[in-house]
Every structure is written in C-alpha cells, then in structure tokens.
Amino acid sequence: GAGVSQSPSNKVTEKGKDVELRCDPISGHTALYWYRQSLGQGLEFLIYFQGNSAPDKSGLPSDRFSAERTGGSVSTLTIQRTQQEDSAVYLCASSLRRTSGSTDTQYFGPGTRLTVL
Amino acid sequence: AQSVTQPDIHITVSEGASLELRCNYSYGATPYLFWYVQSPGQGLQLLLKYFSGDTLVQGIKGFEAEFKRSQSSFNLRKPSVHWSDAAEYFCAVGSGGGADGLTFGKGTHLIIQP
C-alpha cells in the first residue's frame, strides 16, 4: 500500500515568509509525528498527533511553529516568519495506533527540504 | 531525559566484510529501541526494533542487533556488507511503547569500499 507522503519535496523561501508543509499519513494510521533533520542538530522530534489532538508539542522550537491535523488524516506544519536557521529537512511519520501498554512502529515519509534564503 | 549516542560518525568497511555499528542509550525505564537506515534523498526505513523478549533481534536486509541492558547498548551487525548498504544509520529510543516521539542518535555514515 501507499506509504507516508509529503509535499512539497523541496521548498525555497525568503526570510520572513510563511511556509506550509503537508503530510499524508498511511491510511488507517491514527498517530502522526513531525521531525526536523538538520546538519547541526540531527533528527529532532517536533510534535505528535493522536487523532486530531496534539498531546505533546514539546519539541516545537518556537511559537513561529504550529501544526494541525484535520479529519484524523492530513497534517500541516506551518512556519511563520521563516528564519535561515529553519532550513532543514522536515520529516513526517505515522503509526497505526497509540494505546496504553501496546507497542508501535513509526513509518517515515521522504521529507520536505526547506531552504530559507 | 532519554538520549542516544552513536560514537562513530563515519565507518568504512570493505565489501564482504562484517559490520558492527555502535549505539548506547540512556533511559530510565524499559527502552524501546530502533535502527533506521536513510539512503541519500530518502526517508528513514526501519531495519529492526526491540520491544521485549529475545535480546537478539533480526531485521531486514540481513541485519541483526543485540540488546544488552548491562551495557545500555543496542549494536547493529551484519555478517557481510554489500555496496548497497552504504547509507546513514540511525539508532533511536522511544517510550510509551515506541508511540511517543523518538530520540535519535546523530547517525553513523557507512562507506563501503570495493
């Protein structure tokens, strides 16, 4: 079946502009995760959703970053007033379920490479 | 807070030789451990995972990893590498059964010599 898809694959923007990154999870996966991969910081967890709610936003680097998920499916990560340090690859992952006492595996999309000039 | 250390930034191995990539973790409870591989321009692909039970886990592409609680390690091994194994390898630890945000190591870049 189809895996996690992300769009766009590449995004170049000017400093100060807003950007939206999209993630389509694997069909039926209720949990969705955003990560950022940069040369200096490696892979960092940003936020996860269970259904449409986000119990853990602890990884969002600043209040310029926000994310939403609608219909328990597609998610959008928005970065307002982009800065050069926001340049990175943004990865999305999804997993089948999140229930207490169960185990889970995250499946990753190909990522969106964001370049802020 | 949980953390993962991959002490080797780069490793070079001859094709056909054996491979071991090191991973040490810090976590207060039972860890959920993962190895992912990332080829250039690609997303992360899961190689294998450890949740509980047998400490030697088998994965895809001929990889295996051994969980050693006493050493807080989860090293990845392969008996004979192929040129197609050249990639970036990430070890990760998770909580909540692996359903929380994962903490990744910095990665090990594997180079295969002909």
Side-chain angles (χ1 to χ4, degrees):
Chain A
V4 177
S5 61
Q6 294 185 245
S7 60
S9 55
N10 281 284
K11 177 71 177 179
V12 180
T13 190
E14 294 179 349
K15 177 181 172 181
K17 300 282 190 182
D18 297 352
V19 295
E20 284 189 353
L21 312 180
R22 176 187 168 106
C23 172
D24 278 275
I26 293 172
S27 177
H29 280 195
T30 61
L32 185 147
Y33 309 78
W34 284 99
Y35 294 84
R36 179 170 70 174
Q37 185 175 24
S38 59
L39 281 176
Q41 301 299 320
L43 270 157
E44 305 170 273
F45 165 74
L46 299 179
I47 186 172
Y48 95 84
F49 289 88
Q50 178 59 34
N52 293 333
S53 65
D56 186 356
K57 304 179 183 180
S58 62
L60 292 178
S62 75
D63 59 7
R64 296 185 296 104
F65 287 72
S66 63
E68 66 174 12
R69 189 180 185 195
T70 55
S73 181
V74 172
S75 176
T76 302
L77 177 69
T78 301
I79 309 173
Q80 295 178 310
R81 305 181 303 281
T82 52
Q83 304 294 313
Q84 288 183 331
E85 61 262 28
D86 299 334
S87 295
V89 176
Y90 290 83
L91 294 167
C92 176
S94 70
S95 66
L96 184 60
R97 65 190 181 279
R98 186 180 188 277
T99 57
S100 176
S102 68
T103 58
D104 212 0
T105 299
Q106 297 176 31
Y107 297 90
F108 284 78
T112 293
R113 180 175 297 278
L114 175 65
T115 303
V116 182
L117 302 176
Chain B
Q2 57 201 44
S3 66
V4 176
T5 301
Q6 293 181 248
D8 303 305
I9 299 174
H10 300 279
I11 280 190
T12 301
V13 178
S14 297
E15 190 169 15
S18 64
L19 170 70
E20 182 169 30
L21 302 182
R22 295 184 289 166
C23 171
N24 291 95
Y25 67 91
S26 173
Y27 186 65
T30 301
Y32 299 92
L33 295 160
F34 307 81
W35 275 99
Y36 284 87
V37 61
Q38 186 177 38
S39 298
Q42 303 295 313
L44 293 163
Q45 181 183 22
L46 179 69
L47 285 175
L48 48 78
K49 60 191 177 185
Y50 172 78
F51 287 156
S52 65
D54 192 347
T55 56
L56 184 64
V57 293
Q58 302 296 322
I60 62 170
K61 305 184 179 186
F63 286 93
E64 67 178 26
E66 186 171 13
F67 170 60
K68 293 186 177 180
R69 184 184 297 275
S70 61
Q71 298 178 18
S72 297
S73 70
F74 188 57
N75 294 348
L76 182 71
R77 301 194 294 249
K78 186 170 184 177
S80 177
V81 298
H82 185 262
W83 64 266
S84 60
D85 293 324
E88 192 83 15
Y89 290 79
F90 293 92
C91 181
V93 64
S95 58
D100 293 337
L102 298 176
T103 298
F104 284 87
K106 296 291 188 185
T108 296
H109 183 59
L110 176 63
I111 301 166
I112 307 296
Q113 281 184 336

Short mmCIF file of all heavy atoms in Angstrom, two decimals, chain A residues 59-85:
data_model
loop_
_atom_site.label_atom_id
_atom_site.label_comp_id
_atom_site.label_asym_id
_atom_site.label_seq_id
_atom_site.Cartn_x
_atom_site.Cartn_y
_atom_site.Cartn_z
N GLY A 59 8.47 19.62 21.39
CA GLY A 59 9.63 19.78 20.53
C GLY A 59 9.57 20.97 19.60
O GLY A 59 10.56 21.27 18.93
N LEU A 60 8.44 21.66 19.55
CA LEU A 60 8.36 22.82 18.65
C LEU A 60 9.37 23.87 19.11
O LEU A 60 9.35 24.28 20.27
CB LEU A 60 6.95 23.39 18.65
CG LEU A 60 5.88 22.51 18.02
CD1 LEU A 60 4.51 23.17 18.12
CD2 LEU A 60 6.21 22.16 16.57
N PRO A 61 10.24 24.34 18.20
CA PRO A 61 11.35 25.19 18.62
C PRO A 61 10.94 26.60 19.06
O PRO A 61 11.65 27.21 19.86
CB PRO A 61 12.25 25.26 17.39
CG PRO A 61 11.61 24.51 16.31
CD PRO A 61 10.32 23.96 16.79
N SER A 62 9.86 27.11 18.52
CA SER A 62 9.42 28.46 18.91
C SER A 62 7.95 28.61 18.57
O SER A 62 7.35 27.73 17.95
CB SER A 62 10.25 29.51 18.15
OG SER A 62 9.83 29.59 16.79
N ASP A 63 7.37 29.74 18.97
CA ASP A 63 5.95 29.96 18.68
C ASP A 63 5.71 30.31 17.22
O ASP A 63 4.57 30.51 16.81
CB ASP A 63 5.37 31.04 19.61
CG ASP A 63 6.09 32.36 19.48
OD1 ASP A 63 6.95 32.50 18.58
OD2 ASP A 63 5.81 33.26 20.29
N ARG A 64 6.76 30.36 16.41
CA ARG A 64 6.56 30.54 14.97
C ARG A 64 6.13 29.23 14.30
O ARG A 64 5.66 29.24 13.16
CB ARG A 64 7.85 31.04 14.30
CG ARG A 64 8.30 32.41 14.76
CD ARG A 64 9.52 32.89 13.96
NE ARG A 64 10.70 32.07 14.17
CZ ARG A 64 11.16 31.18 13.29
NH1 ARG A 64 10.54 31.00 12.13
NH2 ARG A 64 12.26 30.49 13.56
N PHE A 65 6.31 28.14 15.04
CA PHE A 65 5.97 26.82 14.51
C PHE A 65 4.61 26.38 15.05
O PHE A 65 4.35 26.48 16.26
CB PHE A 65 7.01 25.78 14.94
CG PHE A 65 8.33 25.89 14.22
CD1 PHE A 65 9.20 26.94 14.48
CD2 PHE A 65 8.70 24.94 13.29
CE1 PHE A 65 10.41 27.03 13.82
CE2 PHE A 65 9.91 25.03 12.63
CZ PHE A 65 10.78 26.08 12.89
N SER A 66 3.76 25.90 14.16
CA SER A 66 2.48 25.35 14.59
C SER A 66 2.12 24.20 13.66
O SER A 66 2.65 24.08 12.56
CB SER A 66 1.39 26.41 14.58
OG SER A 66 1.18 26.89 13.26
N ALA A 67 1.23 23.35 14.13
CA ALA A 67 0.79 22.23 13.30
C ALA A 67 -0.65 21.93 13.61
O ALA A 67 -1.12 22.17 14.72
CB ALA A 67 1.66 21.00 13.55
N GLU A 68 -1.33 21.42 12.62
CA GLU A 68 -2.70 20.98 12.82
C GLU A 68 -2.94 19.72 12.01
O GLU A 68 -2.22 19.40 11.07
CB GLU A 68 -3.70 22.07 12.43
CG GLU A 68 -3.73 22.42 10.96
CD GLU A 68 -4.84 23.41 10.64
OE1 GLU A 68 -5.44 23.99 11.57
OE2 GLU A 68 -5.12 23.59 9.45
N ARG A 69 -3.97 19.03 12.44
CA ARG A 69 -4.37 17.80 11.75
C ARG A 69 -5.89 17.79 11.72
O ARG A 69 -6.55 18.03 12.73
CB ARG A 69 -3.85 16.57 12.47
CG ARG A 69 -4.04 15.28 11.68
CD ARG A 69 -3.51 14.09 12.44
NE ARG A 69 -3.59 12.89 11.62
CZ ARG A 69 -3.47 11.65 12.11
NH1 ARG A 69 -3.26 11.47 13.40
NH2 ARG A 69 -3.54 10.62 11.32
N THR A 70 -6.43 17.54 10.56
CA THR A 70 -7.88 17.55 10.41
C THR A 70 -8.36 16.20 9.89
O THR A 70 -7.67 15.54 9.11
CB THR A 70 -8.32 18.64 9.42
OG1 THR A 70 -7.62 18.45 8.19
CG2 THR A 70 -7.99 20.02 9.98
N GLY A 71 -9.53 15.81 10.37
CA GLY A 71 -10.13 14.56 9.91
C GLY A 71 -9.32 13.33 10.26
O GLY A 71 -9.51 12.27 9.68
N GLY A 72 -8.40 13.49 11.22
CA GLY A 72 -7.58 12.36 11.62
C GLY A 72 -6.65 11.87 10.53
O GLY A 72 -6.14 10.74 10.60
N SER A 73 -6.41 12.71 9.53
CA SER A 73 -5.59 12.26 8.41
C SER A 73 -4.48 13.27 8.13
O SER A 73 -3.48 13.32 8.84
CB SER A 73 -6.46 12.03 7.18
OG SER A 73 -5.68 11.58 6.10
N VAL A 74 -4.68 14.13 7.15
CA VAL A 74 -3.65 15.06 6.68
C VAL A 74 -3.24 16.02 7.79
O VAL A 74 -4.07 16.49 8.58
CB VAL A 74 -4.16 15.85 5.47
CG1 VAL A 74 -3.20 16.95 5.08
CG2 VAL A 74 -4.40 14.90 4.30
N SER A 75 -1.94 16.31 7.82
CA SER A 75 -1.41 17.28 8.78
C SER A 75 -0.63 18.35 8.03
O SER A 75 0.00 18.07 7.00
CB SER A 75 -0.51 16.61 9.80
OG SER A 75 0.07 17.57 10.67
N THR A 76 -0.68 19.56 8.58
CA THR A 76 0.08 20.68 8.03
C THR A 76 0.97 21.26 9.12
O THR A 76 0.50 21.56 10.22
CB THR A 76 -0.86 21.78 7.51
OG1 THR A 76 -1.72 21.23 6.52
CG2 THR A 76 -0.06 22.91 6.89
N LEU A 77 2.23 21.42 8.79
CA LEU A 77 3.18 22.11 9.68
C LEU A 77 3.41 23.50 9.08
O LEU A 77 3.78 23.61 7.91
CB LEU A 77 4.49 21.34 9.76
CG LEU A 77 5.61 21.98 10.61
CD1 LEU A 77 5.24 21.95 12.09
CD2 LEU A 77 6.94 21.24 10.38
N THR A 78 3.14 24.51 9.88
CA THR A 78 3.29 25.89 9.41
C THR A 78 4.43 26.57 10.15
O THR A 78 4.52 26.47 11.38
CB THR A 78 1.99 26.68 9.63
OG1 THR A 78 0.93 26.05 8.92
CG2 THR A 78 2.14 28.11 9.13
N ILE A 79 5.27 27.23 9.39
CA ILE A 79 6.35 28.03 9.98
C ILE A 79 6.12 29.48 9.55
O ILE A 79 6.10 29.79 8.35
CB ILE A 79 7.74 27.56 9.53
CG1 ILE A 79 7.90 26.05 9.73
CG2 ILE A 79 8.82 28.31 10.31
CD1 ILE A 79 9.19 25.49 9.13
N GLN A 80 5.92 30.33 10.52
CA GLN A 80 5.69 31.75 10.23
C GLN A 80 7.01 32.52 10.31
O GLN A 80 7.91 32.16 11.08
CB GLN A 80 4.70 32.33 11.24
CG GLN A 80 3.31 31.72 11.15
CD GLN A 80 2.37 32.29 12.19
OE1 GLN A 80 2.69 32.35 13.37
NE2 GLN A 80 1.20 32.71 11.75
N ARG A 81 7.09 33.55 9.50
CA ARG A 81 8.26 34.45 9.53
C ARG A 81 9.55 33.64 9.54
O ARG A 81 10.37 33.73 10.46
CB ARG A 81 8.18 35.36 10.75
CG ARG A 81 6.88 36.16 10.85
CD ARG A 81 6.85 37.06 12.06
NE ARG A 81 7.04 36.35 13.32
CZ ARG A 81 6.10 35.66 13.94
NH1 ARG A 81 4.88 35.56 13.40
NH2 ARG A 81 6.35 35.05 15.10
N THR A 82 9.73 32.85 8.50
CA THR A 82 10.85 31.92 8.47
C THR A 82 12.19 32.63 8.65
O THR A 82 12.39 33.77 8.21
CB THR A 82 10.88 31.14 7.15
OG1 THR A 82 10.82 32.07 6.05
CG2 THR A 82 9.73 30.15 7.06
N GLN A 83 13.10 31.91 9.30
CA GLN A 83 14.46 32.36 9.53
C GLN A 83 15.42 31.38 8.86
O GLN A 83 15.06 30.24 8.59
CB GLN A 83 14.75 32.43 11.03
CG GLN A 83 13.80 33.30 11.81
CD GLN A 83 13.93 34.77 11.42
OE1 GLN A 83 15.03 35.30 11.34
NE2 GLN A 83 12.80 35.42 11.17
N GLN A 84 16.64 31.81 8.63
CA GLN A 84 17.60 30.93 7.97
C GLN A 84 17.86 29.67 8.77
O GLN A 84 18.09 28.60 8.19
CB GLN A 84 18.90 31.69 7.69
CG GLN A 84 18.76 32.72 6.58
CD GLN A 84 20.05 33.42 6.25
OE1 GLN A 84 20.92 33.58 7.10
NE2 GLN A 84 20.19 33.86 5.01
N GLU A 85 17.79 29.75 10.09
CA GLU A 85 18.02 28.55 10.91
C GLU A 85 16.90 27.54 10.81
O GLU A 85 17.02 26.43 11.33
CB GLU A 85 18.25 28.93 12.38
CG GLU A 85 17.07 29.63 13.04
CD GLU A 85 17.24 31.14 13.07
OE1 GLU A 85 17.93 31.68 12.17
OE2 GLU A 85 16.69 31.74 14.00
#
